[in-house]
């Protein structure tokens, strides 16, 4: 394979495609074209502006944009591409079942345009067995397109760091596809791991489900401690202190976003709905907003104004996809006199500044523990619900502290 390649990333302006495109474009692998259907994102990328937050990405975009990287909605570049990487989304449907319809439609269009002897890399998180179905689809059409599955394992916000440090799992049915995919990823990271496609599909789903289950353990312990009027963070901190075996004991807080629940449900479907721990984790994590609401009910909510700080699905992010802060907002809109929402990063016209939300609210809930919130002043007459333990009171007897609910004493 030539060292200067034409690489096309389909879904290239998204959270997975764009960081990968930036890193590839900065490693002299050739020309990277990001194909996307979102005109606003394409325009933003071509103007050198990131369409979403990702540490270090805008700087890199300014270096490679217009040189070795460009974004477009035109798909004719696929015809001359040596490598096509597809990263379009793979959501679950309204029945919480994995859906591959969109992925297949997208793949059919790709296969029609791709040249023989080119390499197709699936990078979306897929339902187990999808790589084999795609492989069969290619062969049944008599096409000689090489196929690999190389799952993405980055966490949003750390993509540039993790793309070049995490080992890349590479899977294919044929040695040539495996070797070509491996060579490509060795341009950006130091090591790759070979697996069979089904193993690689499960490896990705195990990764996300394990994290989701892990967060559910903390959230279950949080609810347990809190329902006895105990401070979860105080207990957790004692457990992990100088005790390496408990390093993976996470803090409590909303476990949400576009991947963890969705991928746990893909594994549940694959198990024939016998993945009991996965479903239990879903009940716990999705139930945390309801638990917080129940905690707050002791405060006569119908007369209270409640502010939610942080509408993103996680800290220091502008991504509000499937954020549980919005679920909490809906629940509160039924129970509270007024609900105010704030987030410094999320684009949502209904949001107001944090200072105003705190000033007007009786009760303040931390939805996402953005680091900047540590600087906020919380007046002592406010009730604070902080399941994340963001504002752990240094001295809980101090009269300067607000009244604390959730991971702190009432
Ligand atoms: N977000 C993460 O942190 C993460 C991490 C690992 C894996 N994944 C997986 O990667 C995949 C993509 O996730 P994402 O977060 O990047 O989604 P995203 O929505 O941010 O990006 C998908 C992009 O694809 C574009 N798109 C949709 N249909 C298209 C089409 N037909 N042609 C061209 N472009 C099209 C969208 O406009 C969007 O820009 C999912 O399978 C997800 O599970 C995500």
């Amino acid at each position: 394979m030539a060292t200067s390649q034409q690489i096309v990333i389909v879904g290239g302006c998204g959270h997975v495609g764009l960081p990968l495109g930036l890193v590839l474009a900065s490693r002299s692998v050739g020309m990277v074209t990001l194909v996307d259907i979102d005109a606003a994102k394409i325009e933003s990328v071509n103007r050198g502006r990131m369409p979403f937050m990702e540490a270090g990405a805008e700087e890199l975009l300014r270096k490679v944009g217009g040189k070795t990287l460009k974004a477009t909605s035109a798909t004719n570049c696929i015809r001359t591409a040596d490598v096509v990487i597809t990263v379009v989304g793979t959501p679950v449907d309204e029945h919480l079942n994995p859906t591959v319809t969109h992925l297949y439609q997208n793949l059919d269009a790709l296969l029609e345009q791709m040249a023989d002897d080119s390499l197709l890399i699936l990078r979306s998180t897929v339902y187990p067995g999808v790589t084999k179905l795609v492989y069969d689809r290619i062969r049944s059409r008599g096409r000689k397109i090489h196929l690999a599955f190389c799952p993405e394992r980055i966490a949003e916000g750390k993509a540039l760091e993790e793309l070049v440090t995490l080992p890349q799992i590479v899977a294919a049915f044929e040695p040539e596809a495996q070797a070509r995919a491996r060579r490509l990823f060795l341009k950006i990271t130091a090591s790759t791991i070979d697996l069979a496609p089904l193993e690689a599909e499960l490896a990705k789903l195990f990764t996300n489900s394990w994290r989701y289950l892990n967060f559910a353990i903390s959230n279950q312990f949080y609810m347990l401690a809190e329902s006895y009027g105990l401070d979860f963070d105080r207990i957790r901190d004692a457990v992990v202190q100088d005790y390496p075996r408990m390093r993976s004991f996470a803090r409590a807080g909303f476990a949400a976003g576009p991947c963890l629940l969705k991928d746990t449900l893909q594994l549940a479907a694959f198990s024939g709905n016998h993945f009991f721990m996965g479903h239990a984790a879903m009940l716990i994590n999705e139930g945390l907003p309801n638990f917080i609401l129940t905690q707050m009910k002791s405060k006569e909510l119908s007369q209270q104004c409640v502010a939610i700080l942080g509408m993103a699905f996680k800290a220091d992010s502008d991504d509000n996809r499937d954020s549980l802060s919005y679920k909490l907002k809906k629940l509160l809109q039924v129970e509270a006199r007024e609900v105010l929402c704030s987030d410094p990063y999320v684009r949502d016209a209904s949001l107001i500044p944090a200072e105003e939300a705190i000033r007007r609210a009786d009760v303040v809930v931390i939805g996402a523990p953005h680091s900047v919130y540590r600087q906020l002043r919380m007046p002592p007459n406010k009730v604070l619900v902080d399941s994340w333990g963001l504002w752990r009171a240094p001295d809980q007897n101090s009269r300067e502290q607000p009244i604390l609910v959730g991971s702190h004493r009432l």
Side-chain angles (χ1 to χ4, degrees):
M1 198 191 292
T3 42
S4 180
Q5 304 175 68
Q6 297 290 326
I7 299 173
V8 171
I9 304 181
V10 180
C13 294
H15 291 81
V16 166
L18 183 47
L20 176 66
L22 288 170
V23 173
L24 283 169
S26 67
R27 294 288 171 114
S28 314
V29 289
M31 183 66 203
V32 179
T33 307
L34 310 173
V35 171
D36 209 289
I37 51 170
D38 188 322
K41 285 189 198 164
I42 292 169
E43 200 212 330
S44 169
V45 170
N46 287 334
R47 279 194 302 118
R49 300 297 304 270
M50 280 297 289
F52 50 84
M53 283 168 76
E54 188 58 66
E58 197 149 292
E59 207 185 330
L60 194 54
L61 178 56
R62 278 198 291 270
K63 274 192 200 147
V64 297
K67 297 180 188 101
T68 48
L69 179 111
K70 66 168 189 222
T72 179
S73 61
T75 58
N76 52 347
C77 53
I78 292 168
R79 295 185 186 283
T80 51
D82 301 290
V83 183
V84 174
I85 304 173
T86 178
V87 290
V88 298
T90 48
V92 286
D93 67 13
E94 68 276 28
H95 308 294
L96 303 182
N97 289 319
T99 165
V100 282
T101 325
H102 182 60
L103 186 78
Y104 278 156
Q105 283 165 353
N106 181 253
L107 281 167
D108 284 342
L110 284 183
L111 294 179
E112 252 172 51
Q113 296 185 75
M114 284 180 71
D116 276 346
D117 203 39
S118 58
L119 172 66
L120 172 62
I121 298 180
L122 307 181
R123 197 159 175 77
S124 312
T125 306
V126 297
Y127 184 72
V130 163
T131 310
K132 177 72 168 68
L133 291 171
V134 175
Y135 180 71
D136 291 344
R137 220 170 170 96
I138 294 171
R139 284 162 63 99
S140 70
R141 287 164 189 223
R143 299 300 312 275
K144 294 194 172 55
I145 293 166
H146 302 282
L147 175 72
F149 172 62
C150 302
E152 178 60 86
R153 294 194 294 166
I154 53 108
E156 283 182 31
K158 294 186 176 169
L160 296 193
E161 179 197 326
E162 294 189 347
L163 275 164
V164 298
T165 51
L166 296 181
Q168 175 62 52
I169 291 173
V170 175
F173 291 102
E174 291 175 358
E176 181 167 355
Q178 190 110 20
R180 282 168 67 164
R182 197 190 298 126
R183 271 204 300 278
L184 178 70
F185 281 102
L186 285 175
K187 299 265 186 202
I188 63 174
T189 189
S191 64
T192 58
I193 302 167
D194 284 357
L195 284 179
L198 189 59
E199 291 173 334
E201 289 164 345
L202 282 176
K204 172 62 196 177
L205 294 180
F206 284 174
T207 307
N208 277 3
S209 299
W210 186 88
R211 296 190 68 222
Y212 192 66
L213 263 59
N214 206 34
F215 293 140
I217 294 171
S218 296
N219 286 333
Q220 176 87 81
F221 289 172
Y222 168 82
M223 292 188 244
L224 209 155
E226 292 291 326
S227 57
Y228 277 88
L230 296 167
D231 179 342
F232 169 76
D233 281 306
R234 203 172 132 77
I235 303 167
R236 181 199 165 272
D237 289 351
V239 168
V240 298
Q241 188 177 319
D242 301 327
Y243 199 75
R245 270 196 295 285
M246 289 302 288
R247 214 176 278 146
S248 61
F249 188 4
R251 289 198 177 279
F254 291 157
C259 290
L260 297 190
L261 171 59
K262 180 252 305 179
D263 292 345
T264 305
L265 292 173
Q266 301 216 51
L267 205 50
F270 184 63
S271 75
N273 285 324
H274 284 85
F275 183 26
F276 303 118
M277 288 171 80
H279 281 122
M282 178 179 79
L283 294 176
I284 296 162
N285 289 332
E286 291 287 308
L288 187 56
N290 306 69
F291 178 83
I292 288 174
L293 184 77
T294 309
Q295 277 182 305
M296 282 193 276
K297 277 187 176 165
S298 64
K299 295 272 139 210
E300 289 181 48
L301 272 182
S302 59
Q303 287 152 50
Q304 309 281 321
C305 173
V306 183
I308 306 174
L309 300 189
M311 302 306 289
F313 83 84
K314 68 175 192 174
D316 303 329
S317 167
D318 59 352
D319 193 346
N320 62 351
R321 288 178 296 172
D322 300 318
S323 165
L324 284 174
S325 293
Y326 284 89
K327 177 171 181 177
L328 180 63
K329 176 186 176 185
K330 273 191 188 165
L331 294 170
L332 281 167
Q333 278 172 332
V334 177
E335 302 282 346
R337 173 173 59 80
E338 190 179 6
V339 185
L340 308 170
C341 297
S342 178
D343 193 294
Y345 309 122
V346 168
R347 281 171 235 174
D348 173 343
S350 70
L351 305 183
I352 60 170
E355 290 77 5
E356 182 189 342
I358 293 172
R359 181 173 48 75
R360 288 169 53 190
D362 306 296
V363 182
V364 178
V365 190
I366 306 297
H370 296 311
S371 309
V372 290
Y373 289 158
R374 287 181 216 277
Q375 321 299 328
L376 288 172
R377 273 189 49 76
M378 190 66 59
N381 61 336
K382 306 289 175 181
V383 173
L384 174 66
V385 183
D386 178 14
S387 62
W388 298 91
L390 179 74
W391 265 315
R392 278 195 57 68
D395 172 6
Q396 300 206 14
N397 297 322
S398 162
R399 304 189 68 179
E400 291 309 303
Q401 296 303 324
I403 306 158
L404 297 162
V405 183
S407 80
H408 301 280
R409 305 275 42 78
L410 247 175

